Amino acid sequence: MTEARRALITGVTGQDGSYMAQQLLDKGYEVHGLVRRSSTFNRGRIDHLHHDEHLPGKNLHLHYGDVTDAARMHQLVSELRPLEVYNLAAQSHVRVSFDEPLYTAGATGISTLNLLEAIRSVDTSIRFYQASTSEMFGASPPPQNEDTPFYPRSPYGAAKVYSYWITRNYREAYDMFAVNGQLFNHESPRRGETFVTRKITIAVANIVQGEQSELWMGNLDAVRDWGYAPEYTDGMWRMLQADVPEDFVLATGTAYTIRDFLAFAFEHVGLDWQEYVKFDAKFLRPTEVDELIGDASKAKQRLGWEATVLPPELAKIMVDADMARLGGAPEGQF
Ligand code: NAP
Ligand code: GDD
């Protein structure tokens, strides 16, 4: 019997980490995930994959650690010797990065170097995926692709630019298979509850149930290119299977405003969003990214990757899931 391919995922408890773990397990990988110690339970998104690792066929193994801890990253890479490392951990909220810029620089920026250094000293043949982002393009006008100059507009975006370049540098300096996925916004029923799409779909479900009557929001004019998260984690995997290490944009190429997403979500249950949405300046950012619209033609050509779920359908998937949750559906179903 051949040995299972082994992967390490940081950020396994997050939206993308949970889909990545699920997809790798389905492909027969032995999956190792990094989790942070927390006083409250933070494994809701992977519990259905992991609830008892002693059961036959359970191949997801969790390890305590924090990506800001260089010694722990070195120890884990050295003990596990994975074939592939997916670095998905980050303080990923743009608005929060203005409140915690220094913390974000460490967790979202410098921590990438901790993993790259671990790989460099343990085994440079380990393949490394870095979760880069369209936020790096920031104020550069759309459509944005792999050649678009970076112009980050937040401490989060600036930290991710560092991670992008240090990943490229290690690829060039040490001949490592280290790549950046420059991913545009991607959402799902597992999306964190304070990101705009999920905030909207939870509110819709609550309003239908009579548990909420107002939705307080910030800038409704921003344009985003929203795709469906499981398709994007598949794209990450494809990047690490390529013959040569390269950076790729993943996006749908569609452009909708927050207003449009509100309309898709509310109209799905027969409501008019304008009757519920109110403005609160606390949700504005000191500097905003006005327009992100990706051009993923390189990924289509070289990886055969293409987004198929577009925002109108995505909104329906997310509203239906939040309604089902309120109706008592188990979390593992999503
Ligand atoms: P997410 O749901 O916020 O998940 C972030 C993950 O990182 C969580 O598992 C979190 O653990 C973990 N984490 C945070 N700080 C950590 C630390 N210091 N040490 C160890 N783990 C830590 O984010 P996501 O939407 O899945 O995104 C995954 C990655 O892609 C992130 O790097 C994000 O910046 C990037 N990205 C996301 C998008 C998008 O649209 N979703 C687009 C482009 C790039 P806890 O559960 O304990 O908090
Ligand atoms: N979160 C939030 N809450 N955003 C709001 C709100 C609100 O109440 N009202 C308006 N917005 C606007 C924000 O100002 C922003 O223009 C847009 O909605 C999207 O905000 P988020 O959903 O928080 O996502 P983001 O685009 O800032 O960042 C996400 O996508 C990046 C990729 O482009 C995150 O997932 C990042 O980690 C990721 O890199």
Side-chain angles (χ1 to χ4, degrees):
M1 211 172 89
T2 53
E3 234 178 89
R5 286 176 288 173
R6 186 178 294 160
L8 171 63
I9 303 173
T10 73
V12 74
T13 54
Q15 171 188 258
D16 290 4
S18 66
Y19 285 118
M20 194 76 231
Q22 199 168 322
Q23 289 168 3
L24 293 178
L25 290 170
D26 288 346
K27 292 181 202 300
Y29 277 71
E30 178 185 309
V31 179
H32 294 260
L34 187 74
V35 293
R36 295 196 286 183
R37 149 75 188 145
S38 162
S39 70
T40 52
F41 190 70
N42 62 357
R43 301 177 192 180
R45 295 185 179 102
I46 52 169
D47 202 29
H48 63 294
L49 300 174
H50 178 260
H51 64 280
D52 185 352
E53 71 176 89
H54 305 101
L55 291 175
K58 289 279 168 188
N59 221 356
L60 174 61
H61 310 274
L62 301 181
H63 307 269
Y64 283 114
D66 191 302
V67 284
T68 59
D69 179 346
R72 180 66 171 142
M73 291 309 102
H74 183 276
Q75 184 192 30
L76 277 175
V77 170
S78 157
E79 273 172 19
L80 296 172
R81 301 251 170 177
L83 279 180
E84 296 167 7
V85 174
Y86 295 88
N87 184 29
L88 311 185
Q91 190 302 92
S92 72
H93 203 284
V94 173
R95 178 68 193 81
V96 172
S97 78
F98 288 98
D99 300 328
E100 293 193 275
L102 196 61
Y103 174 73
T104 303
T108 304
I110 300 293
S111 63
T112 303
L113 181 58
N114 293 338
L115 282 156
L116 287 166
E117 266 296 279
I119 292 170
R120 182 172 77 90
S121 65
V122 169
D123 178 356
T124 53
S125 74
I126 295 171
R127 295 189 171 203
F128 179 77
Y129 174 86
Q130 170 56 22
S132 285
T133 165
S134 48
E135 276 290 309
M136 301 186 306
F137 302 125
S140 280
Q144 293 100 354
N145 67 19
E146 293 82 1
D147 299 321
T148 302
F150 296 149
Y151 188 160
R153 298 269 287 169
S154 65
Y156 168 81
K160 284 286 188 181
V161 168
Y162 173 79
S163 285
Y164 171 92
W165 280 113
I166 199 68
T167 299
R168 265 190 77 161
N169 179 248
Y170 270 54
R171 175 164 88 222
E172 293 164 8
Y174 306 116
D175 203 19
M176 283 166 48
F177 198 112
V179 301
N180 290 284
Q182 296 165 258
L183 272 50
F184 284 63
N185 299 49
H186 44 279
E187 321 291 312
S188 74
R190 296 186 196 170
R191 184 57 145 150
E193 298 180 4
T194 61
F195 296 97
V196 77
T197 55
R198 186 78 199 290
K199 179 172 167 179
I200 292 169
T201 62
I202 290 174
V204 167
N206 283 337
I207 288 166
V208 169
Q209 290 286 316
E211 289 175 13
Q212 186 174 339
S213 56
E214 293 172 336
L215 172 57
W216 294 88
M217 310 258 316
N219 172 23
L220 305 185
D221 295 323
V223 171
R224 287 291 181 276
D225 176 336
W226 287 292
Y228 185 42
E231 296 190 332
Y232 287 60
T233 49
D234 171 59
M236 296 174 190
W237 178 78
R238 288 175 191 236
M239 287 180 213
L240 287 200
Q241 314 314 307
D243 293 334
V244 284
E246 283 186 283
D247 305 323
F248 288 94
V249 160
L250 299 185
T252 69
T254 61
Y256 292 103
T257 62
I258 313 302
R259 261 175 242 284
D260 293 327
F261 197 92
L262 280 163
F264 298 146
F266 277 78
E267 281 166 16
H268 184 48
V269 295
L271 296 175
D272 177 359
W273 68 269
Q274 300 191 70
E275 291 175 18
Y276 302 92
V277 173
K278 304 234 159 72
F279 173 72
D280 185 338
K282 102 173 162 208
F283 296 114
L284 297 178
R285 287 126 194 231
T287 40
E288 175 65 286
V289 170
D290 294 323
E291 229 181 339
L292 291 175
I293 311 164
D295 167 10
S297 32
K298 180 180 171 190
K300 184 175 180 186
Q301 194 196 11
R302 310 242 180 115
L303 303 175
W305 182 90
E306 194 171 14
T308 66
V309 178
L310 304 182
E313 186 190 348
L314 178 62
K316 290 181 189 167
I317 291 171
M318 292 175 68
V319 168
D320 287 345
D322 279 320
M323 303 267 287
R325 272 191 180 101
L326 281 186
E331 205 50 35
Q333 178 177 325
F334 308 104

